[in-house]
Amino acid sequence: NNLAAHLFDLGEVEGAWRLVVEARGGRRNAVSRTVSTLTEGEALLYLAQSRWQVELMLSLAARLEDAGATASAYEVLLDWKGRVARAAVAGRERLLRDVGPQEREWLERLRDVQALLARSTLLAADRDPRELDLVALRDARDDLERRLRREAGESQDEQIVSVARLRAALPAGSAVVDLFAHRDLEPSRWEDGAVASAGRWRAPRWQAWITRPEREGVLRVDLGSVEAIDTAIRDFLAELVARRGVTLADEPAGPDHGAVLRELLWNPIQAHLDGVTTVFVSPDGAVGTLPFEVLQDADGRYLIEDRAFVYVADAVSLVERLEAGAPSDSTDALDSLLAVGGVDYRRLVEEGGPGDEAAGRVPLAAAHSPSFDSETLRGSFSSYWGRLPATEYESQVVADMHADAFLDEGRRLLLQGAEATETRLKAQMPRHAVLHVATHGFFQPEGLPSMWDAAREAVEARDGPQLSEFGARLSGMHPGLLSGLVLAGVNRRGADDDDGDDGYLTAEELTWLDLSGVELVVLSACETGLGRAASGEGLMGLRRALRIAGADTVISSLWSVKDESTSELMQSFYAKLFFEGMGRHEALRAAQLEMLRSNRAREGRGLPSTWGAFVLSGEWR
């Protein structure tokens, strides 16, 4: 790749292209074997260092302006994007197929260390950083993960998913929109045998790679500056969320951020989606925080009204799902339910509680929905977590609907109040097909140190500032520590509690649970779809952690959601899923459209802040 970059800089584009194409197969297999035996943090660093090679390939293909080169370059991107998560999923599956006593012991120890690491990080604001040896905890965690990954063995060499294979797998009327932001290598400019201007990497730009089953090859669409589009996304989402509860008369005049974003991001893509009704979106970076459904076209119609948007971690995983075929009896597979809601954030249960295997019909606490504070939000990190009244009713209704749908054939457990602890939830999640969790969620809690900050302070306090570079390597290695769910007793927790249950269930703690039997996870909470961006791996948070743990479908939110409107949306979703025979994504979209129409009838506008935050990833059928 260094030689190819040098040839490219000399203007030998075709020679550089031949070099990288010839080396691609052997390099890919070596990368595949290497990544499968590294910890996730190591694999992320390893692939991040190879990002420039992918960018070189894409730059070369753009200069060649050849359809074959464009397809080959995209196949490299296909293979690279999401590779760490795919390796983690495959390794877990190999390990769990033949897990022995030694591996079980390592697994239990790893989960204990993850819990301690999460607890130490989240409570670091209450303690002197020198008391928290986060580096030692990190090392212990990574050592156990490394043992398990090596025991799972190296992944076998896999065929690269080609553009032709992707096209063949796609159903009629669909398209894949794969979004990736990358730099472009601009070669030196030569005049009279001398360099007139040196080569350089140009500022990154968003690219959309569009694949359709009925059209040859893949189309690359240059969308423009990352800075411009990311700013437009932030401005649009801030405006959208800020408008909830604001009347039309109160709305201040100002720029139409939705129109700006539509012009920059959606219109260039839409021009190539004529006749497409289902769009599989593989986002990355800031685009992963945007639900396309809430954008409006020039006529004021929301995109959800004309198209279904399904979010996939990467296009390779999509191909594997499509080639495996639609799951049979998908509704029957949802016959067991764990519902959480009405969490008491002040207290923990003191002695025992109802049996974990409670079954049968769960009675409603009231015959109708109580009156709720419409401004109550399920999120925004705080030192004190407030009660969410609608979640108690919501979880009871979901459990009751499940009982009506499956009668005595189903199994369900309802955890409310002081019973909804982190310990109980972790123990019960692997035992049920449907997990509905209605509580507070958080992402990158304001006011608390990140893993990077706390670890750097601990290292510098112990070994001096000269080792701060070592501390810097921790940045982003375990971003799952900064997103999670809030559970019982969290408000009374402090640095001196030592029972291991801090009331925070982080994404980090979910990654090594065995959720391979879980069909559907609904995170009815704030910001559960967010995470820290990582090279080619999307957003590192709850949604990705649940996928790695084995959950088939995850529905999560991208911003702080209202308590009452979320409860209404969820009840509509389950009614369509359990009783109307709709698929998972079809049921979610139908519930969102129903609320959109209701908002227009009652308020005179769609109010996407009440329905648009929730997106589905994973199995959609």
Side-chain angles (χ1 to χ4, degrees), residues 407-447:
L407 300 176
D408 292 336
E409 298 176 3
R411 295 182 298 105
R412 60 206 58 85
L413 172 64
L414 180 62
L415 294 180
Q416 293 184 329
E419 298 286 339
T421 66
E422 177 193 2
T423 300
R424 292 284 296 282
L425 187 57
K426 284 195 287 190
Q428 288 299 319
M429 288 176 77
R431 303 181 183 182
H432 298 83
V434 180
L435 310 178
H436 181 87
V437 185
T439 184
H440 286 293
F442 67 87
F443 166 63
Q444 287 195 356
E446 183 179 356

Side-chain angles (χ1 to χ4, degrees), residues 374-389:
S374 63
E375 294 305 314
T376 303
L377 298 178
R378 301 185 182 184
S380 302
F381 200 89
S382 172
S383 59
Y384 184 86
W385 297 95
R387 181 172 171 264
L388 295 173

Side-chain angles (χ1 to χ4, degrees), residues 92 111 426 429-430 505 509-515 549-550:
R92 290 282 303 275
R111 290 165 183 161
K426 284 195 287 190
M429 288 176 77
L505 178 54
E509 294 169 272
L510 289 170
T511 53
W512 279 92
L513 292 181
D514 179 12
L515 302 185

Side-chain angles (χ1 to χ4, degrees), residues 282-573:
S282 176
D284 200 42
V287 178
T289 68
L290 173 71
F292 280 77
E293 293 90 333
V294 303
L295 290 174
Q296 290 175 280
D297 61 23
D299 297 327
R301 286 178 62 82
Y302 290 96
L303 300 191
I304 192 176
E305 298 183 77
D306 299 308
R307 289 185 171 91
F309 291 87
V310 178
Y311 299 91
V312 296
D314 57 80
V316 171
S317 299
L318 172 64
V319 169
E320 293 170 351
R321 284 188 181 276
L322 289 168
E323 291 179 342
S328 58
D329 300 325
S330 58
T331 301
D332 292 340
L334 309 179
D335 63 348
S336 61
L337 167 77
L338 170 63
V340 176
V343 177
D344 189 338
Y345 304 108
R346 299 168 299 170
R347 290 190 296 273
L348 285 170
V349 64
E350 298 298 333
E351 295 181 5
D356 283 349
E357 301 306 321
R361 185 180 178 85
V362 180
L364 296 180
H368 58 84
S369 176
S371 175
F372 302 122
D373 175 7
S374 63
E375 294 305 314
T376 303
L377 298 178
R378 301 185 182 184
S380 302
F381 200 89
S382 172
S383 59
Y384 184 86
W385 297 95
R387 181 172 171 264
L388 295 173
T391 62
E392 180 177 3
Y393 180 80
E394 175 186 323
S395 58
Q396 290 171 332
V397 169
V398 170
D400 190 68
M401 294 170 73
H402 188 271
D404 285 342
F406 293 96
L407 300 176
D408 292 336
E409 298 176 3
R411 295 182 298 105
R412 60 206 58 85
L413 172 64
L414 180 62
L415 294 180
Q416 293 184 329
E419 298 286 339
T421 66
E422 177 193 2
T423 300
R424 292 284 296 282
L425 187 57
K426 284 195 287 190
Q428 288 299 319
M429 288 176 77
R431 303 181 183 182
H432 298 83
V434 180
L435 310 178
H436 181 87
V437 185
T439 184
H440 286 293
F442 67 87
F443 166 63
Q444 287 195 356
E446 183 179 356
L448 292 184
S450 68
M451 172 68 176
W452 147 232
D453 291 329
R456 181 187 59 188
E457 291 174 3
V459 170
E460 290 185 354
R462 185 186 65 193
D463 298 315
Q466 69 273 16
L467 290 183
S468 60
E469 184 178 348
F470 172 75
R473 294 185 61 200
L474 298 175
S475 178
M477 289 192 72
H478 299 302
L481 292 167
L482 297 181
S483 58
L485 300 168
V486 186
L487 297 162
V490 68
N491 287 336
R492 76 170 183 81
R493 288 305 188 182
D496 295 330
D497 293 318
D498 58 3
D499 62 4
D501 188 329
D502 57 11
Y504 294 112
L505 178 54
T506 65
E508 165 68 16
E509 294 169 272
L510 289 170
T511 53
W512 279 92
L513 292 181
D514 179 12
L515 302 185
S516 54
V518 175
E519 294 286 331
L520 171 65
V521 181
V522 178
L523 300 176
S524 184
C526 287
E527 302 179 344
T528 51
L530 297 180
R532 180 175 293 173
S535 289
E537 291 293 314
L539 300 178
M540 309 281 287
L542 282 169
R543 185 166 60 188
R544 184 176 183 277
L546 287 163
R547 175 198 173 200
I548 290 175
D552 206 33
T553 303
V554 179
I555 294 176
S556 55
S557 66
L558 294 174
W559 59 71
S560 296
V561 290
K562 285 185 179 179
D563 196 22
E564 184 178 7
S565 58
T566 299
S567 181
E568 179 183 344
L569 179 70
M570 289 302 161
Q571 291 173 51
S572 177
F573 163 70

